[in-house]
Amino acid sequence: MPGSANLASPLRVFISTGEVSGDLQGALLVAALQRQATAQGQAIAIQAMGGERMAQAGATLLADTSAIGSVGILESLPFVLPTIRVQRRVLAALKECPPDVVVLIDYLGPNLGMGRAIRQRFPDVPIVYYIAPQEWVWSLGESNTNAIVKFTDRLLAVFPEEARYYARKGANVTWVGHPLLDRLSSFPSRAAARAELGVPDDQPLIALLPASRPQEVRYLLPVMFAAAQQVQAALAQRQGPASASCPPDFPQFWIPLSLERYRPAIEAAITQYGLRATVRSGQTEAILAAADLAITKSGTVNLELALLGVPQVVLYRVSPVTAWVARHLLRFSIPFMSPPNLVEMKPIVPELLQDQATPDAIAQVSLDLLLNPERRQRMQADYRRMRAALGEVGVCDRAAQAIWALATTGRDAPKTLSS
């Protein structure tokens, strides 16, 4: 019977997520579920909609969704039909072998559809929402929140305010803390990262993180690289004659690829803007850990940088039409965009959104963060306070334990708000 695991057979888990960040969080959870299976002395079979990281962690992919996703109204349209086709194929596969538990990770639009469909087709299978959509930040109404609460048996929250919001709305909530706390242990030290990259300890390094979604290549990459061009020129002028503290090739820009498909556009932009930049695939952790400053898109990487103590400037842009509709028709308004600011609902890192994200503004804020010791120290102090509000290490294992308990005991669990 689905939703009631048999100890004599593998526990069957299905995980649904998408985009690069969801694939990362899913991979961390897959590893934790496997540890839980070992502790319980039971086999586990994990199927997923995800990406390469989840597959490497041990999940069997029913669909690769790491490149299917967007933010924005117009931006999402090309992905609607492909997403529907993928979901139909996955639901058909699940019908052949129903899971004992379903885990949804972020991915608002597609996972709303998956959650409703799974609840209808597999009414006895418990559903866990892990890292819920940020309706608590930008909810434009109650419909999405109500849907999540209705089909979800347990919501595992990663932000304190997320937990409070969904608990008020009637969800069965447990706050587990943020999984990036666990991931931090896999990052190299600054010294080890620079040794891996071949960058001297006194060589300033600026990380550029332009894109994990296709529309970010179009709307964010040009202004980011134009700003980097200004930063490069300003620092070269400031440098003057070469000295031991200011090497001749200062500054160095490093760009970690989120997906290999973005390499041609990024390399073309490097040439166009005349940047002294290096593009690397598979060395994201080293580049982040080695950086003195990051100019970055909004997303999970902001929290990684904050936990590493790297000063950052956060950018967000969508198409002008989407921005106009959101502002004037939907009355869209949010307190903050980036995860570090959302943890404590205060401006820990500078955010330049839409029309504010101009090359001049980005360059000015970047130079201030790079050259102003007091500004850097204030951000570091804010980072430390933010870190203390994220919970304790062991997040993924706590999530895996909650998922395992629900899979083996069924859907009738008390509603709690844990801390």
Side-chain angles (χ1 to χ4, degrees):
M1 176 180 179
S4 179
N6 182 348
L7 292 178
S9 60
L11 187 81
R12 299 184 302 276
V13 180
F14 170 67
I15 302 175
S16 173
T17 190
E19 303 182 312
V20 172
S21 61
D23 185 36
L24 168 62
Q25 307 294 5
L28 295 173
L29 181 62
V30 168
L33 285 167
Q34 290 172 333
R35 290 193 296 270
Q36 183 67 13
T38 300
Q40 296 293 332
Q42 183 177 356
I44 189 170
I46 303 174
Q47 296 181 309
M49 294 171 61
E52 183 179 346
R53 286 178 182 266
M54 292 179 71
Q56 291 174 346
T60 299
L61 292 189
L62 299 179
D64 188 338
T65 54
S66 60
I68 301 178
S70 64
V71 172
I73 299 168
L74 296 181
E75 292 85 349
S76 66
L77 293 180
F79 300 101
V80 172
L81 289 179
T83 299
I84 291 173
R85 286 194 292 267
V86 164
Q87 289 181 335
R88 286 175 177 172
R89 188 171 71 248
V90 168
L91 288 167
L94 294 180
K95 185 177 180 180
E96 295 297 318
C97 187
D100 294 306
V101 63
V102 168
V103 182
L104 310 177
I105 299 178
D106 201 0
Y107 206 35
L108 174 58
N111 270 343
L112 281 178
M114 286 299 290
R116 291 188 180 104
I118 288 170
R119 175 56 68 234
Q120 180 180 7
R121 300 186 189 198
F122 309 101
D124 296 324
V125 175
I127 299 176
V128 178
Y129 219 129
Y130 174 53
I131 312 179
Q134 292 182 347
E135 291 294 288
W136 54 280
V137 179
W138 54 56
S139 180
L140 298 174
E142 296 293 318
S143 61
N144 289 343
T145 297
N146 291 340
I148 291 168
V149 172
K150 185 175 180 179
F151 65 65
T152 299
D153 296 291
R154 178 63 63 90
L155 192 146
L156 303 179
V158 300
F159 292 105
E161 187 58 34
E162 172 194 356
R164 288 188 283 267
Y165 171 84
Y166 281 104
R168 288 195 302 269
K169 299 300 181 180
N172 186 345
V173 178
T174 301
W175 176 51
V176 293
H178 204 287
L180 289 185
L181 293 176
D182 297 351
R183 174 166 158 74
L184 197 64
S185 63
S186 69
F187 278 82
S189 66
R190 184 178 189 274
R194 285 177 168 251
E196 177 183 336
L197 299 175
V199 178
D201 185 64
D202 60 352
Q203 172 72 66
L205 188 157
I206 301 173
L208 300 179
L209 300 136
S212 63
R213 302 182 179 103
Q215 76 269 20
E216 289 167 338
V217 174
R218 180 175 181 181
Y219 297 115
L220 196 58
L221 186 150
V223 293
M224 180 183 289
F225 280 34
Q229 183 184 50
Q230 291 190 26
V231 169
Q232 179 174 274
L235 293 176
Q237 184 176 11
R238 176 187 176 88
Q239 174 188 335
S243 67
S245 61
C246 231
D249 55 347
F250 173 81
Q252 286 193 12
F253 294 104
W254 285 72
I255 307 166
L257 282 178
S258 58
L259 294 171
E260 188 65 30
R261 61 187 289 193
Y262 300 143
R263 181 184 291 274
I266 289 173
E267 290 183 341
I270 289 172
T271 300
Q272 178 183 350
Y273 291 99
L275 299 182
R276 293 190 288 271
T278 301
V279 183
R280 287 289 172 86
S281 180
Q283 290 187 297
T284 298
E285 294 179 0
I287 293 172
L288 299 188
D292 295 295
L293 172 73
I295 306 175
T296 171
K297 63 180 286 297
S298 174
T300 301
V301 70
N302 306 149
L303 203 53
E304 291 179 312
L305 290 162
L307 291 172
L308 290 167
V310 178
Q312 60 185 299
V313 183
V314 177
L315 316 179
Y316 180 83
R317 287 174 64 94
V318 292
S319 75
V321 173
T322 292
W324 188 92
V325 170
R327 186 180 298 125
H328 297 286
L329 299 184
L330 301 179
R331 305 297 180 188
F332 180 78
S333 178
I334 57 173
F336 300 106
M337 175 63 69
S338 62
N341 293 348
L342 291 173
V343 174
E344 294 196 309
M345 290 294 176
K346 60 177 291 186
I348 294 173
V349 301
E351 297 180 349
L352 298 174
L353 311 181
Q354 203 59 26
D355 296 338
Q356 297 174 335
T358 65
D360 289 347
I362 299 166
Q364 181 178 353
V365 176
S366 299
L367 287 166
D368 187 33
L369 276 174
L370 195 62
L371 301 174
N372 185 336
E374 291 184 4
R375 180 76 182 274
R376 294 171 67 86
Q377 290 167 7
R378 285 198 304 271
M379 186 173 289
Q380 295 289 350
D382 285 338
Y383 279 167
R384 289 190 289 271
R385 285 189 289 269
M386 179 215 73
R387 164 63 182 84
L390 285 176
E392 300 297 330
V393 173
V395 174
C396 297
D397 287 321
R398 289 194 290 275
Q401 290 164 8
I403 292 165
W404 193 281
L406 193 59
T408 54
T409 61
R411 297 185 55 198
D412 295 325
K415 293 192 174 184
T416 61
L417 176 57
S418 301
S419 60

